[in-house]
Amino acid sequence: MQIGPTRPVLVQTPNSFVALMTIQNIKMTFHSAHTEWHEALDAAGRFDTGDHVAGLGRWWLDRSGRRVALSAVAAGLLGIEAQPSLAACLDRVEPEDRAAVRAVFDRIMAGDDSVDGEFRVRLDGRGLRWLRLQQIDTPDTDTVASGILLDITAARNAAARERFNFTLTQYLVGTDSIDDAVVKILRLVCEELGWEWGAFWAFEENEDEEGLLRCRYSWQAPRQALAPFRQASARIRVTTAEGLVGAVWAAGEARWLEDVSGTPELLRTEEA
């Protein structure tokens, strides 16, 4: 809406009479929200080529219709379709981060033009990823907000490694026994990676069970009901040819499983 000079306006009333009205100091410029939204949809398709190279995703949010448009890169980063609902945008977001992401959406819907937030998503075959959502100021439109989406997992992991190495050094310097050190390291690894439970497996020292691996140390996050799994882990003994633990030990390489419910190698599936 822009301010303009006073001028008379003819208005057709519902009764077919013509009334003479004066509107003072108002000149209206109207750009429909419908048009702005279709411009956003067109933009979502235009940015794909260069954005793929840069790994840059773009998003648009229609405040009036609560609609979302994503470039192909942004849709891939979130693991969802290109025109999802606001609720669908949370499908792959880690449960612990969803409240924060909802708060970001609420700020954008309320008219904020400087939103910046980081959150985690879990994608099939790619594991846990860190994303950063940034809003770009769009002074020419009030109805459609826009911004960029970046994968910051590498930067996050680098910072985590630096923090891990520093904390690990502190633990080792201030620890009197190997037992205390292992438990502290397990906790540190689990907290950095967001795991609820971690264990240290080693060969059994008992000569009668030589060559068998057992869970010698474990740690679990507070308020997690993992007692059956912890107890089963403490009881079990495996060779290097048995189960997931034995396979990882024999191969000397890490394994990442998104869903262990149908994994026959996990010998404690029922307890998990």
Side-chain angles (χ1 to χ4, degrees):
M1 182 174 292
Q2 297 177 345
I3 303 301
T6 302
R7 63 188 178 92
V9 179
L10 290 177
V11 178
Q12 181 71 42
T13 68
N15 296 325
S16 298
F17 291 104
V18 176
L20 183 64
M21 299 179 60
T22 299
I23 300 178
Q24 184 175 5
N25 294 331
I26 296 177
K27 178 183 177 183
M28 298 185 66
T29 301
F30 180 69
H31 187 60
S32 72
H34 181 76
T35 302
E36 289 180 358
W37 179 242
H38 278 277
E39 289 175 352
L41 293 180
D42 291 341
R46 290 198 307 268
F47 283 109
D48 284 347
T49 303
D51 289 357
H52 273 293
V53 177
L56 175 68
R58 299 178 188 263
W59 58 266
W60 293 262
L61 173 59
D62 178 14
R63 293 188 175 103
S64 61
R66 299 182 65 85
R67 295 172 293 186
V68 178
L70 304 171
S71 68
V73 174
L77 291 175
L78 289 170
I80 56 178
E81 61 183 16
Q83 295 184 39
S85 64
L86 272 178
C89 291
L90 299 173
D91 285 351
R92 300 301 184 93
V93 176
E94 283 288 276
E96 296 86 353
D97 295 350
R98 287 177 183 171
V101 177
R102 287 192 190 98
V104 166
F105 289 157
D106 289 343
R107 288 176 56 194
I108 297 173
M109 293 295 295
D112 199 331
D113 60 4
S114 58
V115 171
D116 190 336
E118 298 178 358
F119 57 94
R120 297 167 295 170
V121 296
R122 192 173 295 277
L123 305 177
D124 296 338
R126 298 176 60 193
L128 191 68
R129 313 295 298 178
W130 275 96
L131 303 181
R132 182 178 184 182
L133 182 148
Q134 291 179 286
Q135 187 175 1
I136 299 174
D137 186 18
T138 51
D140 295 334
T141 172
D142 294 327
T143 60
V144 178
S146 65
I148 61 175
L149 192 67
L150 298 166
D151 187 332
I152 59 170
T153 306
R156 275 279 187 166
N157 288 345
R161 283 193 294 270
E162 183 176 350
R163 187 168 58 249
F164 178 87
N165 290 334
F166 177 76
T167 306
L168 178 60
T169 301
Q170 289 183 311
Y171 279 173
L172 295 179
V173 169
T175 300
D176 296 329
S177 68
I178 187 63
D179 293 343
D180 291 340
V182 171
V183 174
K184 288 180 178 179
I185 293 171
L186 280 175
R187 176 179 178 178
L188 177 61
V189 171
C190 291
E191 289 180 340
E192 286 291 342
L193 297 177
W195 293 350
E196 299 173 350
W197 191 82
F200 175 83
W201 293 76
F203 281 115
E204 180 63 73
E205 296 176 348
N206 188 333
E207 293 182 359
D208 296 334
E209 297 181 323
E210 187 176 357
L212 296 179
L213 292 165
R214 73 177 179 94
C215 177
R216 297 186 60 180
Y217 307 95
S218 66
W219 178 89
Q220 74 176 62
R223 298 182 297 278
Q224 296 295 330
L226 299 174
F229 186 76
R230 185 179 68 251
Q231 293 166 1
S233 300
R235 291 192 305 267
I236 196 172
R237 302 289 188 275
V238 298
T239 68
T240 55
E242 293 180 290
L244 183 61
V245 173
V248 171
W249 184 283
E253 296 179 353
R255 292 272 300 276
W256 185 286
L257 301 178
E258 292 292 331
D259 184 2
V260 298
S261 58
T263 305
E265 293 174 298
L266 185 63
L267 303 180
R268 297 153 289 161
T269 303
E270 293 184 2
E271 290 82 359

